[in-house]
Amino acid sequence: MSNRPGTSGLIFKEPQLWDKSSEGRCAVSIPRTDVERSELDKKYVGDAPDLPQLSELDVVRHYTRLSQWNFGVDSGMYPLGSCTMKYNPKTNEVQAARQGFAGAHPLSGEEFSQGALKLMYYLEKYLATITGFDAVSLQPAAGAHGELAGMLVIHAYHAKKGKQRSKIIIPDTAHGTNPASATLCGYQSINIKSGEKGILEPEAVAAVMDEETAGIMITNPNTLGLFEDNLKEIAGIVHEKGGLVYGDGANMNAIMGVVKPGEIGVDVLHLNLHKTFATPHGGGGPGSGPIAVTKELEPFLPIPRIEQEIDTYKLVTDCPDTVGRLHTFYGHFGVMIKAYSYILSMGAKGLKDVSTYAVLNANYVKESLKDTMNLPYDQPCMHECVFNDENQREFHITTMDMAKRLLDYGFHPPTVYFPLVVDGAFMVEPTETESKEYIDQFIDAVKAISKEAETDPDKLKKAPYLTKVTRLDEVTAARKPCLRG
Amino acid sequence: MRYLPHTKEDIKSMLAVTGHSSVDDLFECIPEQLRTKQGMELPEALSEWDLDAHMEALASQNIACKDYKCFIGAGNYDHFIPAIIPYLISRSEFCTAYTPYQPEVSQGTLQGIYEFQTMITELLGMDIATASHYDCGTALAETALIALRKHRKANKIAISALVHPSHRQIVETYIIPAGYQMVEIPYTKEGLTDVSAIDGMDDIAGIAVQSPNFLGNIEDLSSFRAAADKKKIMFTVSFTEALAYGLLKNPGSFGADLVAGEGQSLGIAKTFGGPGLGLLAGTKKLMRNLPGRLIGKTKDTNGDNGYVLTLATREQHIRREKASSNICSNNGLNAMTAAIYLATVGKIGIREIAQQNHDKAFYLKSCLEKSEFTPVYDSSFFNEFVMKAPEGFAAKRNELIKENCMLAGLSLEQFYPDFKDHYLFCATEKVSKEDIDQLTKEVQP
């Protein structure tokens, strides 16, 4: 037990901001008034918003204490399946903070923004060679935004062909954002089941694919951590009927340098720079969700596009077939800088090593824990593996209990209850940046908890014990919502 | 590679457990014909110091590498960012966490965003604010979808022609594939949205008006509320300059149903336009129609206060194709940045900074008038306004950037073809009287 990283320690209580507020305090240096006061017409003027009044130290202490109640990748292992919680290199933060980038106004004009445009141009090129596509757009602001962009491209393609279609095929292993993005394009989701081996069978696709169907959305590797072996055949079936294949690249971390989705039948793919390319998740964002497409689909990409003209770079908006604009300016440039720095730091060999060790770590966890937790699909996995709580059910212990107890041991729990095809799923994605030692500690923790499930199940039911708060009443939170102080 | 911890020994012993003979065998489960034969054409990996040099060389090709004076806004504003903001937000417990799915170890993010929601509702006078969106344009598109879905019958959304041009384009991108249409509400000679045009518009589910509008003018929001009431449709207010509401009457006081705004002004660096911060707020009645994350207050099993993600049944991971939106990741860290900014400036600071923005802009306008620029509108403005420039200003403007590091005015012709020689100017608390006087001197014909 001494091997557990989790322990108790002193943390601080901290009230809400307004409970610390005291009339007359202000934590900002008020600028010097050097021009005359100009009174705005009274009919437009409101009362000053009632924001908290604090000193600078009040603010610093408040957010320092809050931060100490959080668990991040820098705190410990965060094997959240499908989220790729790898280490976020600090040099990338330094690069993004450079005055020439952070201080750049988006409407400075192309001539005065060449550094930013060049970076975006080359990042597009790099992402294209990594994925095997012809063109990339960096406009989408997050993964789901990239999915929407990709579906809009498919929608625009069918419109251009002269006949819009009404349906889209979505496997049961898909992220929830897939059907939600398809709905925004007016497509009805046709949900199909994966086969017994946890991957899609061509027959299942052939049975529903018709000339009313716009295409299929496939995550590869899928959310069970398995490679979709039949992808090429499935793409053939979809293309045969005039449909397109959308690739959800959320799990690209498994296959860099090994598989290029653009070479095996995928027509449009989104990437999550905040997963595969090591930019921080920020407690929920901002991310960045570029899309990569084949030559045929390039005219439909969102505007603006970036083009090179000899040695200068320009923004192009005159694209008659474009799906339109998706972001006020040019997407999440600040995130792009970090992904670009990451790719340059890794090089081609480094990125292939990333995928290799991500897959090695996941297979190591799978083999080490398959006698402890149930493994519904016992096959070689890619970057993640999915267990469930079947072995613990006789003790009335659930995946949630296991997950909460892991917190006491000092680990962020895996993704739980997703994918939906596994009842009580416990989805582990260690990522390549975890060392064997950290992973062994995690494995030991899961084994120890499994033992506790047998010997002291009541203890697990009430876990966690060492966290700032214990289990929270989510039912009342939803029934009687209190969304502001 | 310093991010990859695997030693040869580690690899050997791990492969022994997985049952593979080499690391290449790990990919044997992928059919041979699906594996790529092409390498990735990437530059040789750089050391950290080589990367520094490479990146600084790129950054120095942007005008922003110099200490330039910014007299433009148009959706991205040059405000002072107090040192404690980047300092606190770079705490890696905030930065390297995921969406707070495990509330017991995410109370920092959760309380922080709950406080953000609270301060945004206070700033905007609304009942509920979401935990953020990508930017104002995408937030505005979501409000259009809410209005259209709620109405059920009408097929169009009416957006003021003085809403930021990019935002109008984003709305179209979002709603047209779903079978809806956008119509524009024209503007008057005063540079204000023509409220009288709404009456004659048919089949509309809602109206959206930006204030201060893209030309900088403050709209009479009460007249739009009345126009929306007459048609029994939804009224959305948008804005690109959040600090304006440190001084102006908030959208809630005019009865807005929905508010979509840009929060970049609240402590977030310009960063070539992104990531900014999409603000999205609504009335209590619309709580279950709002897209994206919401944080709620609750109790733990000991009866202590705590915070959780709530009302998830609206969201894609539960509702899938029936979700209120497809949004998953938002701009959470920038929402936290804005919260720290609002806590830092507080009630006194936000009012004073907002007032100073207005003062500087007013002074800039009066100076430009003396330099043969013609004011175009008489309407009240916050920190942006339109001037018709004297002949030859376009060339002068380029020279000012190169020679004086001054970004002076944004040509409006690219957005509104009729606005030849019209420039949108902005002044914030960051420019001094001296800067303005120098600009005036430089543009003196």
Side-chain angles (χ1 to χ4, degrees), chain B residues 137-356:
Chain B
T138 50
L140 184 64
E142 296 276 10
T143 67
L145 287 169
I146 294 172
L148 286 160
R149 288 177 191 140
K150 287 291 274 188
H151 196 284
R152 287 162 194 269
K153 288 190 195 120
N155 211 38
K156 295 178 190 155
I157 197 89
I159 308 252
S160 160
L162 300 182
V163 161
H164 194 295
S166 292
H167 298 171
R168 281 178 278 136
Q169 291 179 337
I170 296 168
V171 170
E172 287 204 300
T173 305
Y174 266 69
I175 69 171
I176 287 176
Y180 302 120
Q181 282 174 355
M182 186 186 97
V183 287
E184 286 191 2
I185 312 170
Y187 56 90
T188 64
K189 277 189 209 134
E190 287 75 40
L192 295 167
T193 309
D194 185 1
V195 67
S196 70
I198 296 169
D199 219 16
M201 292 180 159
D202 290 329
D203 197 25
I204 57 174
I207 55 171
V209 178
Q210 179 179 320
S211 184
N213 65 32
F214 188 68
L215 305 177
N217 298 322
I218 301 168
E219 298 275 4
D220 173 17
L221 295 177
S222 56
S223 66
F224 292 94
R225 176 69 269 177
D229 281 343
K230 206 166 158 197
K231 285 195 169 316
K232 295 197 177 70
I233 55 171
M234 210 80 86
F235 173 38
T236 296
V237 174
S238 76
F239 59 88
T240 57
E241 173 52 290
L243 276 177
Y245 290 103
L247 188 59
L248 303 186
K249 271 186 196 154
N250 60 43
S253 63
F254 295 103
D257 297 301
L258 290 160
V259 179
E262 178 57 54
Q264 177 268 331
S265 290
L266 308 175
I268 297 160
K270 297 187 284 301
T271 325
F272 206 45
L277 173 62
L279 302 172
L280 185 44
T283 57
K284 202 173 267 169
K285 237 169 76 185
L286 294 171
M287 180 171 72
R288 289 182 198 271
N289 304 100
L290 293 173
R293 314 280 187 210
L294 289 166
I295 313 294
K297 190 169 150 188
T298 188
K299 301 263 185 214
D300 74 359
T301 53
N302 296 330
D304 290 332
N305 282 338
Y307 305 85
V308 290
L309 286 169
T310 194
L311 299 171
T313 49
R314 301 163 295 114
E315 289 189 70
Q316 47 76 26
H317 60 287
I318 310 282
R319 291 273 280 174
R320 297 177 79 83
E321 61 267 26
K322 295 189 183 69
S324 61
S325 165
N326 73 331
I327 190 170
C328 184
S329 285
N330 53 29
N331 280 23
L333 197 68
N334 285 0
M336 188 74 91
T337 306
I340 302 175
Y341 181 84
L342 291 169
T344 301
V345 297
K347 184 180 181 177
I348 298 170
I350 195 164
R351 181 58 149 219
E352 182 59 26
I353 293 168
Q355 179 66 51
Q356 288 205 17

Side-chain angles (χ1 to χ4, degrees), chain B residues 362-399:
Chain B
F362 194 86
Y363 179 71
L364 173 63
K365 191 178 178 194
S366 62
C367 289
L368 288 172
E369 270 183 66
K370 287 175 204 149
S371 301
E372 291 187 26
F373 280 75
T374 321
V376 180
Y377 304 115
D378 241 351
S379 309
S380 292
F381 60 93
F382 174 63
N383 67 357
E384 283 182 283
F385 55 89
V386 180
M387 297 295 259
K388 188 162 187 294
E391 216 175 302
F393 177 67
K396 180 72 198 168
R397 184 184 175 274
N398 247 19
E399 194 187 307

